[in-house]
Amino acid sequence: MKLASLQSGGRDGRLVVVNRELSQAVAVPEIAHTLQQAMDQWSLAEPRLQDVYRKLQAGQCGDAFALKVEDLASPFPRGYQFLDGSVYLHHMEKARKARGAAMPNNYKTEPLMYQGLSDRYCGPREPMRLPGEEFDADYEAEVAVVLDDVPMGTNAEQARKHIKLVMLLNDYTLRALTKTELPKGFGFMQAKPTSSFSPVAVTPDELGEAWDGFKLSLPLISEVNGRRMGQPNAGVDMFFTYPDLIAHAARTRSLGAGTIIGAGSVSNQDERSGFGCIAEARIHEELAYGKAQTPFFRFGDVVRIEMFDARGQSIFGAIEQSIEAA
Amino acid sequence: MKLASLQSGGRDGRLVVVNRELSQAVAVPEIAHTLQQAMDQWSLAEPRLQDVYRKLQAGQCGDAFALKVEDLASPFPRGYQFLDGSVYLHHMEKARKARGAAMPNNYKTEPLMYQGLSDRYCGPREPMRLPGEEFDADYEAEVAVVLDDVPMGTNAEQARKHIKLVMLLNDYTLRALTKTELPKGFGFMQAKPTSSFSPVAVTPDELGEAWDGFKLSLPLISEVNGRRMGQPNAGVDMFFTYPDLIAHAARTRSLGAGTIIGAGSVSNQDERSGFGCIAEARIHEELAYGKAQTPFFRFGDVVRIEMFDARGQSIFGAIEQSIEAA
C-alpha cells in the first residue's frame, strides 16, 4: 500500500491512497483525514486502507483521480517526532574526518542518534529555502521508517512489529555549522534545517523480499543537477538496523504514533557505489586528486533522490527539490 | 488568560479556558477543540478566547464547571517542537563541572540549545515513569514560552511578538546518561525523557509587570518530598533572553505554531536562592561539606514546581509528580 498527503488539506495535508504506479489517488476521509490520524489508530485504519488500495489497483475506485506529484505535500507535513541515526559507519567516519572530529568511544556498542526537528517537513517537490549560500549546504540520502505507538523498554525483537511505513528521506545538513555546533555537545540545531520525505510512504509488504524486517536492500540513487552522485545499497554496511534504533530510542521513554526514524546517510564500503551526500564525494576527491571538486549547494541547484524495485518501478516517487533563497 | 487541556479529549486533550484562581473552567469547542488548534490560528482564536475568559471571570459562563487539576493533561499533551536553551550560565557551569566537561568556547556569543522530544508530555499530576532507579534522575525547574508561526530569519526584536503563552516546565534529566551521551556530540536522546508542563499556560498579559517581553521576573519554587530546594528568580542571571533563543532557533528554519521554548534550569549566582535541580544542590554540598547528600530521585519521590504572583496566587498551578517504575 502507498500513502501520500495532498497539500490542499492545510497544515496536515489530506490523506490519499496512491496506486502502485503512482499515477492514481483517492481520498479516504471516511477512514482518516490525515496520515497522522491514520497512525493514531493504525490497527483499525490499516486494513481499511489496504482494502481501498486493492480496489484502486483493480480500477474499482470511482472517486480515483490522476495524481500530480506536484500537488503532494510531505506524507507528514509536520509530525511529533523525528529521530535520525547514523548507522552507516563509513559515512560517519568520513563526515568526522572532514570536520576533524574523532569517532565517539562507544560508536560500535550503541547507535548514534539525534532528535531532529519535526514541526515542518518540506514537500517532495517544494524548493528547499535557506537564508544564504555560505553554510556548505549538503543533502543526505536516507531511508526512514514510521512507527505506531512503541512502549518504553521495547527491545529490538519486539520493535520489528512497530514498523508500519517506509519512506525516503533527504536530511539536509549545513556542514559549515556542524563544525561549531556539534562541539557544544547539545546536538544539531541550526545545522540540520527542515528535512524532506519521498512523495509516498509505503507499507513494508510493498517492498517484497527487499525488506527483511531489519533493513531495505535496494540501491538508493541520488543526483545533483542531473549528475549521478551514487547508488549505495541501503541494506549493505548497516551496522545497526531499524529495530536496533527503535530499541535505543525507547530505552527511557515511549515513542508516539507517527514517530519517524531515519538510519543516516547511506554509504557503502565499496566506493564504486558512489556517494549519498556531497561531503563524501569531496573527501574522496581530496584523497584521490588532492582537492575537493564537487561544490556544496548553491541557489538554483537541484537534488533528486529515488529508489526502484526489481522491475524498474519507482517505489516512493522521487524527492526532487531546488535549493533557493529564503 | 489561562488555558489548559482536559485529559478527556484523547491524544491532544480538550481545550478549556480556566479562571485566574484555577477553580473554574469552560470548554470552547466553538473556538478550538485543542490548544494546538488554537495556536494554528492564534490571531483569530485569541480574541475569542479572551472574551470567554472575561466572561468566566465575571461569572457569566453558564457552562463553567469546577476544575480538578487531576483531570488535566499537559496543556499540550503532544506537540510538534520543543527546544530548550541553557541560558542560566551558573547552572551550565555547575552541571558541566559535575560531569567533568569543559564549557563550550562560544557559550557567551550564542545560546546553547537542544532539540527536545515533543511527541508526549507528562501531565502535571501524572506519575513520571522511568525504567529504573540507576540513572541519577533529576528535575530541572524552568519557564517556557509558546510561539505562533515564526518565519526563518526572525531577529530578536521581531521575536518578541511571537511569544503567545508562558508555562512552567519540568525538564527531567537522567544525569548518569548525560555523561556517556553528550560526548557523542549528537545531543540528548536517552538522557532527556519526557518533560512535563504546568497545569495551565497563560498569556503574557496575565503576568503584569513581572513579564517585560524578554523574561519573567518571579521566584520559581521547587520542592522534593516537601523539602524546599530553592526559589531562584527566573528573571535574574539570564544571559540570553527568550527573544534571543527564538532568533537563534529561527536562523536557518521557520518555527511552527505551538513551538515551545524553554530557557534551561533556573539558577541564580546568589546561592541563598537555593537550587532548581538536584545536581546543583549536590555540587554545593560537595564544595561545602566534602560530600553530596541530596540523593537523585528514587521511586516514590515527589517533585513540585510552582510560581506565585505578588498577591500569592499560584499563576500556573503546580507541577506535582511522583517518580515511579515504568
Side-chain angles (χ1 to χ4, degrees), chain A residues 11-12 36 39-41 78-81 83-86 96 99 104 106 110-120 129-131 134-135 149 152 174 177 180-194 247-249 251-257 259 326, chain B residues 11-12 36 39-41 78-81 83-86 96 99 104 106 110-120 129-131 134-135 149 152 174 177 180-194 247-249 251-257 259 326:
Chain A
R11 287 182 186 261
D12 296 292
Q36 181 64 49
M39 296 310 306
D40 284 349
Q41 40 148 354
R78 58 180 176 177
Y80 297 106
Q81 182 154 253
L83 302 170
D84 201 9
S86 184
R96 298 217 164 200
R99 63 169 199 271
N106 45 358
E110 61 177 68
L112 206 60
M113 190 176 220
Y114 68 89
Q115 187 90 35
L117 79 85
S118 62
D119 66 316
R120 194 180 100 76
R129 298 191 184 280
L130 292 173
E134 71 273 31
F135 300 111
D149 287 295
M152 190 190 301
L174 306 181
L177 294 176
T180 52
E181 200 161 74
L182 291 193
K184 293 158 75 175
F186 270 27
F188 303 100
M189 265 294 310
Q190 296 177 340
K192 292 271 190 190
T194 310
H248 181 75
R251 184 179 176 207
T252 59
R253 51 160 140 166
S254 59
L255 307 177
T259 290
Chain B
R11 285 183 187 261
D12 296 292
Q36 181 63 49
M39 295 310 305
D40 283 348
Q41 40 148 356
R78 58 180 176 177
Y80 297 105
Q81 180 155 254
L83 302 170
D84 201 10
S86 184
R96 296 215 166 202
R99 62 170 199 271
N106 46 358
E110 60 176 70
L112 206 62
M113 191 176 220
Y114 68 89
Q115 186 90 35
L117 80 86
S118 63
D119 66 314
R120 197 180 97 79
R129 297 191 185 279
L130 291 173
E134 71 272 31
F135 300 110
D149 287 296
M152 191 190 301
L174 307 181
L177 295 177
T180 52
E181 200 160 74
L182 291 193
K184 293 159 73 175
F186 270 26
F188 303 101
M189 266 293 311
Q190 296 177 340
K192 291 273 190 187
T194 310
H248 181 75
R251 184 179 176 209
T252 59
R253 50 161 141 167
S254 59
L255 307 176
T259 290

Side-chain angles (χ1 to χ4, degrees), chain A residues 53-83:
Chain A
Y53 185 62
R54 276 188 294 272
K55 286 180 180 151
L56 183 63
Q57 285 301 118
Q60 296 167 352
C61 274
D63 299 338
F65 56 89
L67 178 66
K68 282 186 276 185
V69 177
E70 293 68 26
D71 292 339
L72 292 178
S74 181
F76 295 87
R78 58 180 176 177
Y80 297 106
Q81 182 154 253
F82 168 46
L83 302 170

Side-chain angles (χ1 to χ4, degrees), chain B residues 70-278:
Chain B
E70 292 68 25
D71 292 338
L72 291 178
S74 181
F76 295 87
R78 58 180 176 177
Y80 297 105
Q81 180 155 254
F82 168 46
L83 302 170
D84 201 10
S86 184
V87 309
Y88 300 89
L89 300 188
H90 193 54
H91 166 76
M92 208 202 314
E93 287 160 0
K94 287 196 159 185
R96 296 215 166 202
K97 191 170 184 175
R99 62 170 199 271
M103 292 292 278
N105 289 327
N106 46 358
Y107 75 106
K108 286 192 171 172
T109 53
E110 60 176 70
L112 206 62
M113 191 176 220
Y114 68 89
Q115 186 90 35
L117 80 86
S118 63
D119 66 314
R120 197 180 97 79
Y121 301 122
C122 250
R125 301 295 161 91
E126 184 185 346
M128 174 65 186
R129 297 191 185 279
L130 291 173
E133 290 187 308
E134 71 272 31
F135 300 110
D136 294 349
D138 197 356
Y139 75 99
E140 294 192 355
E142 307 189 16
V143 175
V145 299
V146 186
L147 312 179
D148 67 355
D149 287 296
V150 178
M152 191 190 301
T154 295
N155 65 30
E157 178 56 33
Q158 296 162 335
R160 289 179 60 178
K161 69 173 186 291
H162 293 290
I163 299 173
K164 300 305 181 186
L165 296 170
V166 182
M167 306 186 288
L168 302 186
L169 157 61
N170 184 354
D171 174 41
Y172 285 100
T173 305
L174 307 181
R175 303 282 176 205
L177 295 177
T178 60
K179 291 175 193 167
T180 52
E181 200 160 74
L182 291 193
K184 293 159 73 175
F186 270 26
F188 303 101
M189 266 293 311
Q190 296 177 340
K192 291 273 190 187
T194 310
S195 297
S196 56
F197 296 99
S198 48
V200 304
V202 312
T203 43
D205 63 311
E206 200 67 36
L207 302 166
E209 293 182 357
W211 175 257
D212 64 1
F214 298 93
K215 56 191 189 301
L216 177 56
S217 296
L218 285 171
L220 182 57
I221 296 167
S222 61
E223 297 175 351
V224 174
N225 298 331
R227 173 191 161 209
R228 175 71 66 99
M229 293 292 290
Q231 56 286 321
N233 191 307
V236 172
D237 299 325
M238 198 180 191
F239 196 82
F240 297 100
T241 66
Y242 291 100
D244 293 333
L245 291 171
I246 297 166
H248 181 75
R251 184 179 176 209
T252 59
R253 50 161 141 167
S254 59
L255 307 176
T259 290
I260 298 169
I261 296 203
S265 194
V266 176
S267 178
N268 293 164
Q269 293 285 346
D270 181 351
E271 291 210 340
R272 287 172 301 182
S273 66
F275 314 103
C277 65
I278 294 170

